Amino acid sequence: MTPVTRLDHVVIAVSDWRVATDFYRDVVGAEVIGVGGGRVAFRIGPTQLSVHGPGMDLAGDVARLPVRPGNSDVCLVWDGPVEAAVAHLRRHGVEVETGPVPRFGAGGPGTSVYFRDPDGSLLEFISYEA
């Protein structure tokens, strides 16, 4: 058995640092972490969204086809009833594209709502509350 215990981070890309930071902090609830050079990362619990954006040199350790703004698909656990997630998104003026709908995630059966970040990446809040 491989001793991997959890997902540490994934990469998303954004077209505007400030707009993305405001969205991920205010709508997603991420902790904004400065990583130097004007760059940030977004922490959600023990997992991090590392961010690629304008002005970055992408030479080095990146995917063969680097992540681009608008092409990520990320599911985040909503700790509470999915109706509260829908209300939260509405308060922030974020349109729910799909849901609530039943989905199967890492925690088993849940209920999800889908929406997009400012660049068009698909985000999902999944609730495991019955």
Side-chain angles (χ1 to χ4, degrees), residues 9-32:
H9 69 277
V10 296
V11 173
I12 63 168
V14 303
S15 63
D16 183 303
W17 290 103
R18 175 55 36 212
V19 169
T21 297
D22 291 348
F23 180 87
Y24 279 88
R25 181 193 61 230
D26 299 342
V27 176
V28 174
E31 177 186 2
V32 179

Side-chain angles (χ1 to χ4, degrees), residues 24-130:
Y24 279 88
R25 181 193 61 230
D26 299 342
V27 176
V28 174
E31 177 186 2
V32 179
I33 308 294
V35 295
R39 292 183 48 217
V40 296
F42 306 130
R43 286 240 180 96
I44 302 160
T47 304
Q48 180 169 291
L49 297 177
S50 294
V51 184
H52 291 179
M56 283 188 64
D57 176 11
L58 291 180
D61 295 328
V62 296
R64 186 165 286 125
L65 298 174
V67 177
R68 299 189 189 285
N71 76 349
S72 294
D73 185 339
V74 179
C75 180
L76 306 159
V77 175
W78 179 270
D79 188 20
V82 74
E83 295 79 15
V86 171
H88 171 79
L89 292 169
R90 286 189 178 137
R91 275 194 305 278
H92 287 280
V94 177
E95 179 184 349
V96 172
E97 286 198 6
T98 303
V101 291
R103 291 293 186 255
F104 190 85
T111 307
S112 293
V113 293
Y114 292 84
F115 58 101
R116 296 198 182 266
D117 78 0
D119 285 302
S121 286
L122 184 66
L123 300 178
E124 172 186 355
F125 283 153
I126 188 168
S127 171
Y128 291 109
E129 279 200 9

